[in-house]
Amino acid sequence: MDQAVQVISAKYPCRKALIQKLYQLFGDGDPFPPAVYLYGHTSTGKSSILQAFLPLMDSSTTPTSWAILSAIECYTNKILFETILNRLTGHVPCAANAYASLASVDSMKDFVAQLARLSPSRSYIVVLENAERVRDMDHNVLPMLLRLPEVTGLNVCVLLVSDLPFEKYFVRTGLAPVVKLFVAEYSKKDILVILMNDFEAHANLSEEEIDKRLKIVEMLTPDFYENYLNIFLNVFFKVCRDLKELQLVALECFHKYCEPVLDGTIAADDVTRLWRNISKTMKLALGTIYMRMGNVNQELLRPATVDAQTSSESVEQMQTMKRLAQNLELPFYAKFLLIAAYLASHNAAKEDKRLFMKYHGKQKKRLQSVNAKAKVSEKMATQLGPKAFTIDRLLAIFYAILDEKVGLTCNLLAQISTLIHLKFLNFASGEGTIMDGSARLQCTVGMDFIVHIGKMVGFNVRQYLCDFF
C-alpha cells in the first residue's frame, strides 16, 4: 500500500501528507471512522486525490465499495438516498430496468433499512462533495449521515468535502464528532513544482517546426521553463491561485514566450529581454484570466510581428477587448456593480468623498498632494493591482454612480454573487458571507475591459479614478 501512496503522490505533488493521512484512516485494515470532513479552498486537489485514492481501497483482504456524488446534483432527500444505494451496489439505471433505482427510498428510515441489507463483509465509503448543500435539506439528514455505522452496523464512512470550515454547520440538536482534514492552498513554490510537470507537454512542437528549429529547440530546457514560470507566477499569483486557471493561461502565454527564441531573435538565456517581450501579453491575459470566452484569449495572445510595436497593434487590441466586453451578457445593474467594484479596488477609501459626493468641501493644495499627483505608471493604482473592499463600500459607490434610485433587494445581492461566480470578483476574506456584509472582495478585470463596459452603459470610468486627476 505504501507503493500506492507513492504513485498517487507522484501524480499529485505537494499533497503527500494528505494522502498519507487518508491511508492511515482507510488503508490500515482498521474500522473506518464514522465521518471525515475534508475542507479547503477550491482547486486544491481534494476531489482529484479522492478519485485516485478510493479505487486502491478495494482489495482482496479488505473489499471496499465507494460512492462519489455531489450534493448539488442530489438536491432532494430521495435523489440523495437512491443515488448512494445505486453507486454502493453498482446498480445502473438503464433501459433494461426502465431507469429504475435499486429501491424506492422516500425517507431516512427507508434509507437506513436498505443500507442494513448490504453485505457486512465489505466496507463502504460515501463521498459527498459540496457538502454545505446538505444544510438546506431536512434537519435529520446531516446528523444521521454522521452516525451511519451506529444505526446500520456496517463499516461505513461518510466523507464530506466542502470549501467551508465545519463550524459553519450548526444544528440545534448537535452533531456527532468528525475527523477534520484541512487542505491548505498551494503556495507559490508548490504551484511552480506542479506546473513544472507540464513542461514536456508544453514544449512539444510539430514535426515541421522541430526539423526547422532543431538546434534552438534544444535550448528549451527545464531551466528555461522554470524561468518562465517564475516570471508567470510573479504576475499572476497575487490575483489568481486557482491551479486550473493558472495551468490554462500558462500554456497560452508559453507559446508567445518561446516565439522570439524559436525565431532566433532573443537568446534563451536572456531573461530580461524575454520578460520585456512577454510583459504586454501577460498584462492582457491578466485581465481575461477567468473569462474563457471562445477564442478571445487567443486573439489577445496573437503573435506580434516586428512592426507590431506601433499604434495599429494597440488599436487592434482595443477592438478585441471591445468585442470581449460586448459579448459579455450581464444585466444592467450588474454592469454598474462591476464598475463600482473596479473603482473600489483601484481608489483609496479616503478619496471616496471627493470622488462621489457633490459637496465634499474645498481641498487645500499642499506640496505633498502636488507631489503625489506627479505619478509614474509603476506607482499608479491601476498598475499596482486591485485592493480589497467591503460590500458596504461597493454598494455605496454603486448608488453614487447610478442615476436612478434602486432599492437594496435580494436580486441586487444575487448579482454580486453572480459576479463572484463568474470570477470577476474574488474573495479577499470572509468567504461565503455576502449577506452579512463582512466579506472583503477584489475586482479581477482590467482597465481596458471596464472602460468598454462603462461605454456600454454611458459611464466615464476614467473620470472617477484617482490616477487620472
Side-chain angles (χ1 to χ4, degrees):
M1 205 62 182
D2 291 337
Q3 184 179 0
V5 172
Q6 296 296 333
V7 171
I8 301 176
S9 300
K11 187 176 181 182
Y12 300 98
C14 309
R15 286 288 180 253
K16 188 173 182 179
L18 174 63
I19 298 169
Q20 289 177 337
K21 186 64 177 178
L22 290 173
Y23 172 63
Q24 293 173 6
L25 294 173
F26 300 106
D28 288 340
D30 297 330
F32 295 161
V36 177
Y37 190 73
L38 186 67
Y39 68 104
H41 283 284
T42 57
S43 191
T44 51
K46 301 185 295 294
S47 300
S48 300
I49 290 174
L50 289 175
Q51 290 172 2
F53 180 80
L54 290 179
L56 302 178
M57 295 294 99
D58 190 10
S59 62
S60 57
T61 55
T62 56
T64 304
S65 300
W66 71 92
I68 301 178
L69 58 154
S70 172
I72 296 178
E73 299 172 356
C74 305
Y75 51 89
T76 65
N77 294 357
K78 181 179 178 64
I79 296 176
L80 175 66
F81 298 151
E82 292 182 358
T83 304
I84 292 175
L85 288 172
N86 290 340
R87 296 186 182 178
L88 287 179
T89 57
H91 177 80
V92 180
C94 59
N97 53 36
Y99 298 97
S101 298
L102 179 69
S104 178
V105 182
D106 296 319
S107 64
M108 177 62 73
K109 180 181 178 181
D110 296 338
F111 174 63
V112 173
Q114 291 292 335
L115 276 182
R117 296 179 184 177
L118 299 180
S119 173
S121 61
R122 297 184 66 87
S123 300
Y124 302 93
I125 301 176
V126 178
V127 179
L128 189 60
E129 298 180 345
N130 305 109
E132 65 275 1
R133 296 298 185 98
V134 181
R135 299 177 300 176
D136 300 329
M137 296 184 178
D138 290 349
H139 67 279
N140 66 333
V141 173
L142 183 59
M144 288 299 292
L145 286 177
L146 301 183
R147 299 173 56 193
L148 282 184
E150 179 182 343
V151 297
T152 61
L154 299 174
N155 184 23
V156 58
C157 174
V158 176
L159 206 160
L160 304 175
V161 183
S162 177
D163 302 336
L164 302 180
F166 192 69
E167 289 72 21
K168 297 291 184 181
Y169 295 74
F170 174 75
V171 178
R172 291 183 178 180
T173 57
L175 294 173
V178 300
V179 178
K180 302 175 187 176
L181 294 179
F182 175 66
V183 184
E185 277 190 303
Y186 289 113
S187 65
K188 186 177 180 181
K189 184 178 179 181
D190 293 339
I191 292 179
L192 181 62
V193 172
I194 295 170
L195 294 181
M196 279 298 295
N197 291 338
D198 298 332
F199 168 69
E200 294 182 1
H202 288 188
N204 287 339
L205 299 173
S206 64
E207 294 182 1
E208 295 180 359
E209 290 175 324
I210 292 177
D211 292 338
K212 293 178 180 179
R213 309 169 181 179
L214 186 58
K215 293 182 179 179
I216 302 177
V217 168
E218 294 176 355
M219 301 178 186
L220 303 184
T221 61
D223 291 337
F224 174 82
Y225 189 63
E226 185 175 358
N227 290 335
Y228 162 71
L229 290 179
N230 282 322
I231 293 173
F232 176 81
L233 290 177
N234 284 336
V235 176
F236 287 87
F237 187 70
K238 291 183 180 180
V239 175
C240 172
R241 299 193 182 185
D242 189 314
L243 183 59
K244 295 177 182 178
E245 298 292 341
L246 289 175
Q247 285 178 320
L248 178 66
V249 181
L251 174 59
E252 292 176 348
C253 293
F254 183 63
H255 296 308
K256 180 70 169 66
Y257 184 79
C258 291
E259 283 179 3
V261 179
L262 298 176
D263 293 338
T265 55
I266 301 178
D269 56 354
D270 194 344
V271 180
T272 304
R273 291 184 64 192
L274 287 172
W275 157 245
R276 290 174 181 171
N277 180 71
I278 196 65
S279 59
K280 286 187 177 180
T281 301
M282 286 189 174
K283 287 179 182 178
L284 288 171
L286 193 64
T288 59
I289 186 171
Y290 288 110
M291 296 182 185
R292 296 195 187 187
M293 300 179 67
N295 295 321
V296 177
N297 280 354
Q298 295 298 332
E299 293 180 17
L300 289 172
L301 304 180
R302 185 170 49 252
T305 60
V306 178
D307 300 329
Q309 305 303 324
T310 62
S311 59
S312 60
E313 182 192 11
S314 300
V315 172
E316 194 170 356
Q317 289 175 353
M318 292 289 286
Q319 291 176 349
T320 303
M321 190 64 70
K322 184 177 181 180
R323 290 196 297 272
L324 174 61
Q326 290 174 344
N327 290 334
L328 182 65
E329 297 182 1
L330 284 176
F332 180 75
Y333 293 140
K335 292 177 180 177
F336 273 99
L337 282 170
L338 186 57
I339 294 171
Y342 184 85
L343 295 176
S345 265
H346 295 87
N347 284 327
K350 63 182 181 180
E351 301 289 345
D352 287 352
K353 182 178 179 181
R354 181 169 64 91
L355 290 171
F356 304 111
M357 290 185 65
K358 187 174 182 181
Y359 302 104
H360 54 75
K362 187 176 180 182
Q363 185 180 12
K364 296 181 180 180
K365 287 189 177 181
R366 297 181 180 178
L367 183 61
Q368 184 179 359
S369 62
V370 173
N371 292 337
K373 290 184 178 180
K375 300 174 183 176
V376 293
S377 61
E378 290 79 2
K379 293 184 179 181
M380 295 175 69
T382 51
Q383 300 295 329
L384 292 176
K387 305 296 188 299
F389 57 88
T390 62
I391 299 292
D392 292 339
R393 186 173 173 224
L394 169 65
L395 293 174
I397 296 176
F398 168 75
Y399 284 115
I401 64 177
L402 193 65
D403 292 334
E404 54 188 282
K405 293 183 179 180
V406 182
L408 182 58
T409 62
C410 293
N411 291 331
L412 197 62
L413 294 175
Q415 293 186 24
I416 300 177
S417 300
T418 301
L419 294 176
I420 295 172
H421 180 71
L422 293 173
K423 302 295 185 180
F424 293 157
L425 303 180
N426 265 353
F427 279 107
S429 64
E431 187 168 350
T433 55
I434 295 178
M435 298 301 293
D436 62 7
S438 63
R440 293 179 66 83
L441 304 173
Q442 288 178 326
C443 183
T444 60
V445 300
M447 173 72 178
D448 294 334
F449 180 80
I450 205 69
V451 166
H452 287 298
I453 291 290
K455 289 181 179 179
M456 293 173 65
V457 295
F459 182 82
N460 186 357
V461 177
R462 293 176 181 269
Q463 185 179 349
Y464 293 89
L465 286 171
C466 292
D467 287 347
F468 299 97
F469 271 83

